[in-house]
Amino acid sequence: MTDQTLPKRILLGPGPSPVDERVLRALSQPLLGHLDPLFLRIMDQIQELLRYVFETRNRLTIPISGTGSAGMEAALINLLEPGDKAVVCINGVFGERMFDIVGRTGAEPIAVRAEWGHPIDVGQIEDALKQSRPKVLAIVHAETSTGVLQKLEGLADLAHAHDTLLIVDAVTSLGGHPVRVDANGVDVCYSGTQKCLSCPPGLSPITFSERAVERIRSRRQKVQSWYLDMSMIEKYWGSDRSYHHTAPISMNYALLEALRIVREEGLEARQARHQLNHRAFVAGVEAMGLSMLVAPKSRLWSLNAVRIPEGVDDQRLRTHLLERHNIEIGGGLGPLKGKVWRVGLMGAGSSRENVVLVIGAIHEALAEQGHTCPPGVASAEQVYELGA
Ligand SMILES: *Cc1c(COP(=O)(O)O)cnc(C)c1O
């Protein structure tokens, strides 16, 4: 492995996303100790920039040491105690994962479901809240397994009216779509580094509202996970600076650099870029006679699920893209296996160059299987020419 040069893949799957050279260079900086004053400053800068991307003033805003799933687990396990109820919205893989975690805490998960490819119906959420008066309402903002965006507006008011805290999974939206933690009244929001933040996988940014912190403080029993117990982790990231576990030093360097890049571009400009490239991609897909899985009003900009046309071999096309074009795209999961491709346009990967490249490559790979269709590149280009 050390003397093998790996190819530079163009990562247009469900994550990880392409990483800027600046972030890779940050990873190779000399190590500092986890209590070195210079590292403590880096931690402060990370917290400040995370508040910027989450659009929050929450004091407890840190990166969990672990991937996005660690953030998911931290959110649920800190807020729930055995016997509590939690309403979990499920319309894809990640809602299912939350449901599984809730059960492991000893709390009772109550599912509100929608068909994969569709958003959750707010009326059904309201009914579930009325019926069970849960401690927590958990929902995925950007369902990476299907490409569905869930609107967050109004959910917090519904939850808070029932004395319920709102947990939002923003793993595939933070840095690509507006998340607006404070404006949307979200109590706990977590993300991952390797999607729209364009950093390698390994950390999970998370933020807790004062309501959520209060809930943790008033727990009757300890959090079952020692490693993810926020009451201990916050002492290292807060003013105590007391050792809990050794922070993944290099990953934190990388995250800081990735967040600086987000700041330099500006959150709104970055979101607008994700939207524009998504629109161009869809134009290209539709010009080729292919169709999107999700209805226009619920489409993610960061993850595009394209229906696989009849008679086309899923794996063969993806292998073609990887081997001939160095492009990775994702396949479908669960009920969508073999039915859709998942094309991620996340972070640094969301560019005009990549949209044109992947549309052209898909067209070629379809032709290679004998599936002829009109080309899509010109239609994608036209979206850029006409502008936003
Ligand atoms: C990727 C993802 C996760 C899990 O993150 P890992 O880094 O793979 O642990 C959770 N939720 C959503 C919506 C995701 O897309």
Side-chain angles (χ1 to χ4, degrees):
M1 166 71 203
T2 44
D3 44 47
Q4 184 195 344
T5 310
L6 296 172
K8 230 181 147 189
R9 300 287 200 215
I10 300 163
L11 297 170
L12 304 181
S17 64
V19 170
D20 193 280
E21 291 294 332
R22 280 172 57 184
V23 175
L24 294 177
R25 279 199 297 277
L27 275 167
S28 61
Q29 290 296 301
L31 284 190
L32 293 168
H34 64 277
L35 293 172
D36 188 306
L38 289 176
F39 189 69
L40 299 183
R41 263 186 46 201
I42 288 173
M43 291 165 66
D44 289 343
Q45 289 169 323
I46 289 173
Q47 288 182 279
E48 198 183 303
L49 284 171
L50 284 181
R51 289 186 191 105
Y52 168 72
V53 294
F54 276 122
E55 296 185 76
T56 185
R57 297 173 66 179
N58 290 340
R59 186 185 48 80
L60 186 50
T61 303
I62 61 139
I64 295 275
S65 306
T67 66
S69 306
M72 182 188 287
E73 198 146 79
L76 292 164
I77 203 166
N78 279 277
L79 258 50
L80 291 168
E81 296 194 66
D84 287 350
K85 287 180 183 158
V87 167
V88 181
C89 300
I90 305 176
N91 56 349
V93 165
F94 296 102
E96 294 284 5
R97 188 171 297 180
M98 288 189 174
F99 188 88
D100 185 350
I101 293 173
V102 168
R104 288 164 192 250
T105 66
E108 182 194 335
I110 296 149
V112 173
R113 292 180 187 273
E115 202 187 320
W116 288 37
H118 296 265
I120 305 283
D121 176 69
V122 178
Q124 286 186 28
I125 295 176
E126 189 167 11
D127 290 346
L129 292 175
K130 270 192 196 131
Q131 266 178 29
S132 51
R133 305 212 144 248
K135 285 279 164 60
V136 156
L137 166 63
I139 197 160
V140 178
H141 185 213
E143 192 29 277
T144 320
S145 60
T146 62
V148 167
L149 175 75
Q150 182 74 39
K151 293 215 165 34
L152 299 178
E153 290 77 9
L155 288 180
D157 288 345
L158 266 185
H160 296 158
H162 296 86
D163 208 16
T164 299
L165 297 186
L166 175 64
I167 296 180
V168 169
D169 178 319
V171 176
T172 294
S173 50
L174 192 71
H177 278 265
V179 176
R180 298 193 190 109
V181 165
D182 285 0
N184 284 318
V186 179
D187 293 295
V188 185
C189 186
Y190 59 88
S191 188
T193 43
Q194 79 274 26
K195 310 228 174 152
C196 297
L197 298 177
S198 267
C199 185
L203 293 174
S204 176
I206 193 166
T207 185
F208 292 80
S209 70
E210 277 313 308
R211 268 198 190 88
V213 170
E214 203 38 58
R215 175 73 63 81
I216 296 171
R217 290 212 205 302
S218 61
R219 288 179 66 96
R220 299 178 300 274
Q221 57 188 77
K222 283 184 181 178
V223 174
Q224 292 103 324
S225 165
W226 180 90
Y227 194 71
L228 296 175
D229 185 337
M230 289 310 302
S231 64
M232 295 196 288
I233 293 173
E234 76 167 332
K235 294 202 171 100
Y236 173 53
W237 283 87
S239 49
D240 281 21
R241 303 297 191 178
S242 50
Y243 165 72
H244 176 253
H245 64 271
T246 310
I249 304 294
S250 309
M251 270 311 300
N252 278 285
Y253 298 163
L255 177 58
L256 177 56
E257 196 60 23
L259 291 171
R260 281 179 173 147
I261 291 173
V262 175
R263 178 95 206 212
E264 285 163 23
E265 181 175 13
L267 203 51
E268 278 181 28
R270 191 179 179 90
Q271 291 158 1
R273 171 166 62 83
H274 280 77
Q275 183 179 26
L276 179 63
N277 290 317
H278 158 77
R279 285 178 46 223
F281 177 81
V282 173
V285 161
E286 291 179 344
M288 288 191 286
L290 307 183
S291 62
M292 302 291 291
L293 174 75
V294 178
K297 67 175 183 12
S298 303
R299 280 179 197 156
L300 282 174
W301 305 332
S302 45
L303 193 287
N304 300 272
V306 180
R307 288 183 200 274
I308 300 175
E310 203 70 44
V312 171
D313 185 310
D314 169 23
Q315 187 59 56
R316 182 169 150 195
L317 181 131
R318 283 189 285 131
T319 303
H320 180 99
L321 292 189
L322 194 67
E323 290 180 353
R324 302 285 181 81
H325 300 272
N326 248 330
I327 296 174
E328 175 181 277
I329 67 165
L333 298 175
L336 297 175
K337 190 170 160 52
K339 300 220 164 75
V340 297
W341 292 307
R342 290 182 301 148
V343 180
L345 296 170
M346 302 180 185
S350 173
S351 69
R352 177 173 181 166
E353 188 191 355
N354 284 342
V355 167
V356 168
L357 206 64
V358 73
I359 292 289
I362 290 173
H363 187 262
E364 190 220 88
L366 287 170
E368 188 262 341
Q369 292 194 28
H371 181 95
T372 51
C373 58
V377 169
S379 301
E381 294 274 20
Q382 202 180 15
V383 171
Y384 297 109
E385 300 312 326
L386 296 175

